[in-house]
Amino acid sequence: MTLTHGTGTTAGHSADARSAGAALGADAVARIRADFPILARTVREEKPLVYLDSGATSQRPRQVLDAERTFLERHNAAVHRGAHQLAEEATDAYESARARIAAFVGANDDEVVFVKNATEGINLVAYGLGNASVRTGLDAASERFALGPGDEVVVTELEHHANLIPWQELCRRTGATLRWYSVTDDGRIDLDSLELTDRTRVVAFTHQSNVTGAVAPVAQLVERAAAVGALTVLDACQSVPHMPVDLHRLEVDFAVFSGHKMLGPSGVGVLYGRRELLEALPPFLTGGSMIETVRMEGATWAPPPQKFEAGVPMTSQAVGLGAAVDYLGAIGMDTVAAHEASLTAAALEQLSAIDGLRIVGPPGAELRGGAVSFVVDGIHAHDLSQVLDDAGVAIRVGHHCAWPLHRRFGIVASARASFAVYNTLDEVTALADGVRAAQTFFGTV
Ligand SMILES: Cc1ncc(COP(=O)(O)O)c(C=O)c1O
C-alpha cells in the first residue's frame, strides 16, 4: 500500500472524524483494493465481485494474511508458557499486537482482553456480573457488581442479539429486570423513552447500529448512566472498523469489537474494560494461564488482562488483528471515515431516488455510518438479494441479528449494504442498478 498516510490519531466521535478527513480519490482506493486478493475474483459467471457485506465480515488485506502466515511459519508457540526462544517470540508478537490495538482505540495495554469475538466479550462481562451476583466467597471489590431482584439492566431496542440475549440471560439468572430505550421512526435511540433509576446497574448500547447505521449519542448515554452509578457497555463492533474511536475519551466502562469486521482475522475480538473494573470483575472462564497461585484448596487470579484469558489464546489471530490496525492506522481512521461517509451519502442519494424503496434508518448522512438497510415494495429481501447476487453484488438480507428492531418497523426482513474502506462509488451505483433490475424482473414498477 503506498498511500499518503493519515495521522492515525483518534478522536472521540465520528462527527469530528468526518470533518477531519478527506475522502480517498479513485487511485488511492484502487491501491487499497490491490491489497485485497479476494476483491479481484469474479462470481456468478465472471461477474466482478461487488462486496457490500463488510458489516457482517470484512475482507483481509495481504498484510494481515502475511502477518498470520509469518507468525505461524516462524514464531508459533504457546504464549506466556515456555522459556524457549519461540515461546518468547510468540509472546512478544502477541503482546505487541495487544499494545498496538490498545493504542488504536485509545486504551491502555492492560485494558485490552483478547476474546473470540464481540459476542464472547459481552458474555464475559455478563457472566462476570452473574458470578458476582452469587455473592459467595467474593471479595468486597467484586461484590459491587452483584445484581438481584429490583435491579435493572438497560439496553436499546436496536441492539444486535449479541448485546441483548446475554443481558436477558443475566436478568433471568439474577432476578434483575431488563428495560430498554425504544427507537425513533428514523432508527435512532429515543432518549426520551426511558428514565434511568438508582436501581439501574448496567446500560449496554451499540455505538453504531448494524441495521440503521445510526451513531448513538454516547456522551449523553454515558452521562445519564454515570448519574445513577450504572456501568456502561459499548458495542463498538460497527464503529471501531469505520471511524476514529477513543475509548478513554468516550468514558465508557466496557467496550467490545470483533477482528473479522475490521480487516482482521475471525476468531479474535477485544473486550476493553477500565483497569479498576477488570481488576474487580470476577472471571468468566477459569483454568490455566489466568491464575497467580494454585493450591488444591483454591486459587488466586493473575492480574488483568491475563485473568480473562484462560487457556492458550488465539495467537496468530491476535497477531493478524495487530496487522489490521496497522493497516487501518496507516490509511488514517479519519480518512477511512470520510471515504465511507462519501459512499454512504451516495448510497442514500441513489437508493432514495428509487420509487418503492424505503430506507430503514436515518435518511440523511449526519451521525450515520455505512450500514444502509432498506426494503423494496413488492420484493422480499431474499428475492432481491438473489437478483443482486446474479449481478455479482453481495449484500446481507434478513433481520441482521436485530429481530426486535425489525418488529419495531413492522418488517420481517430488510436488505443491507455495508461498506468498508475498499469500496468504490461505482459499487454503490452497481447496487442501485441491481435494485432497479430486480424491480423490472419482478414487475413491481
Ligand atoms: C453491532 C454488532 N454487535 C455485535 C455483533 C457480533 O459480532 P460477533 O459475531 O463477531 O461476535 C455484530 C456482528 O454482526 C454487530 O454488528
Side-chain angles (χ1 to χ4, degrees):
M1 184 180 57
T2 48
L3 291 167
T4 308
H5 292 175
T7 58
T9 54
T10 52
H13 207 282
S14 66
D16 308 336
R18 300 261 151 84
S19 52
L24 293 161
D27 288 353
V29 181
R31 284 197 296 275
I32 289 173
R33 289 177 69 82
D35 289 332
F36 290 78
I38 204 169
L39 298 181
R41 67 160 286 184
T42 53
V43 292
R44 305 288 179 213
E45 295 172 7
E46 303 308 310
K47 310 270 175 26
L49 170 66
V50 175
Y51 188 74
L52 300 180
D53 196 16
S54 297
T57 202
S58 58
Q59 302 301 345
R60 299 178 209 175
R62 257 183 252 281
Q63 289 81 342
V64 168
L65 301 170
D66 289 348
E68 285 185 86
R69 171 170 283 279
T70 303
F71 175 82
L72 291 169
E73 285 180 350
R74 296 197 49 79
H75 312 294
N76 187 44
V79 300
H80 293 303
R81 286 190 178 182
H84 53 79
Q85 181 172 338
L86 287 195
E88 265 175 41
E89 288 173 6
T91 303
D92 286 351
Y94 180 71
E95 291 303 332
S96 158
R98 191 198 307 277
R100 280 143 48 223
I101 294 160
F104 184 73
V105 292
N108 299 332
D109 303 4
D110 59 2
E111 294 175 321
V112 161
V113 177
F114 285 123
V115 287
K116 188 173 68 185
N117 48 35
T119 304
E120 186 175 276
I122 296 169
N123 274 279
L124 190 160
V125 178
Y127 273 88
L129 300 186
N131 289 345
S133 306
V134 175
R135 289 177 187 273
T136 49
L138 291 175
D139 54 25
S142 298
E143 279 276 332
R144 66 189 276 205
F145 292 119
L147 272 77
D151 287 331
E152 296 167 356
V153 175
V154 167
V155 293
T156 85
E157 204 180 6
L158 51 66
E159 295 312 314
H160 189 282
H161 298 161
N163 199 27
L164 171 61
I165 321 289
W167 303 116
Q168 290 176 341
E169 286 298 290
L170 176 65
C171 288
R172 187 182 57 75
R173 289 195 302 273
T174 60
T177 303
L178 187 79
R179 300 179 67 214
W180 53 90
Y181 285 100
S182 58
V183 163
T184 62
D185 288 342
D186 64 354
R188 295 190 184 277
I189 300 169
D190 183 354
L191 287 173
D192 296 330
S193 61
L194 180 77
E195 290 288 327
L196 304 184
T197 75
D198 59 4
R199 297 304 297 269
T200 309
R201 306 294 310 285
V202 179
V203 181
F205 58 97
T206 185
H207 196 174
Q208 179 187 301
S209 164
N210 66 314
V211 179
T212 73
V215 175
V218 181
Q220 289 179 62
L221 286 159
V222 167
E223 193 183 313
R224 288 173 190 213
V228 297
L231 294 168
T232 45
V233 182
L234 184 72
D235 176 352
C237 269
Q238 300 290 349
S239 56
V240 164
H242 305 292
M243 63 176 83
V245 172
D246 184 321
L247 295 171
H248 281 172
R249 273 182 61 185
L250 290 176
E251 294 184 0
V252 290
D253 293 313
F254 295 100
V256 295
F257 51 95
S258 278
H260 70 95
K261 293 183 193 292
M262 51 189 290
L263 318 186
S266 53
V268 64
V270 165
L271 166 69
Y272 158 84
R274 287 200 292 114
R275 168 73 199 208
E276 66 272 24
L277 295 174
L278 290 183
E279 255 159 28
L281 188 72
F284 166 33
L285 298 173
T286 54
S289 297
M290 54 76 68
I291 44 77
E292 182 183 53
T293 58
V294 182
R295 298 180 196 289
M296 284 316 291
E297 299 77 17
T300 58
W301 313 142
Q306 273 71 38
K307 174 181 162 189
F308 298 103
E309 294 182 0
V312 171
M314 57 299 277
T315 320
S316 61
Q317 293 90 332
V319 169
L321 183 53
V325 304
D326 293 345
Y327 188 90
L328 285 167
I331 299 171
M333 288 310 290
D334 43 8
T335 304
V336 171
H339 177 63
E340 292 185 24
S342 72
L343 298 173
T344 308
L348 290 171
E349 192 186 321
Q350 293 194 36
L351 292 176
S352 317
I354 297 176
D355 279 345
L357 184 151
R358 182 161 61 90
I359 304 283
V360 180
E366 197 187 337
L367 283 180
R368 193 194 200 296
V372 180
S373 296
F374 53 94
V375 287
V376 181
D377 288 348
I379 308 181
H380 191 283
H382 285 92
D383 294 333
L384 178 66
S385 147
Q386 213 171 331
V387 174
L388 284 164
D389 180 46
D390 279 342
V393 181
I395 60 161
R396 182 77 182 269
V397 288
H399 52 54
H400 321 309
C401 298
W403 207 340
L405 183 64
H406 280 71
R407 275 210 190 85
R408 157 70 174 83
F409 289 124
I411 50 179
V412 286
S414 61
R416 181 187 75 185
S418 53
F419 306 117
V421 67
Y422 42 68
N423 288 122
T424 66
L425 286 168
D426 286 347
E427 291 180 315
V428 173
T429 303
L431 168 70
D433 288 347
V435 173
R436 276 189 293 268
Q439 288 179 313
T440 307
F441 182 81
F442 288 107
T444 61
V445 284

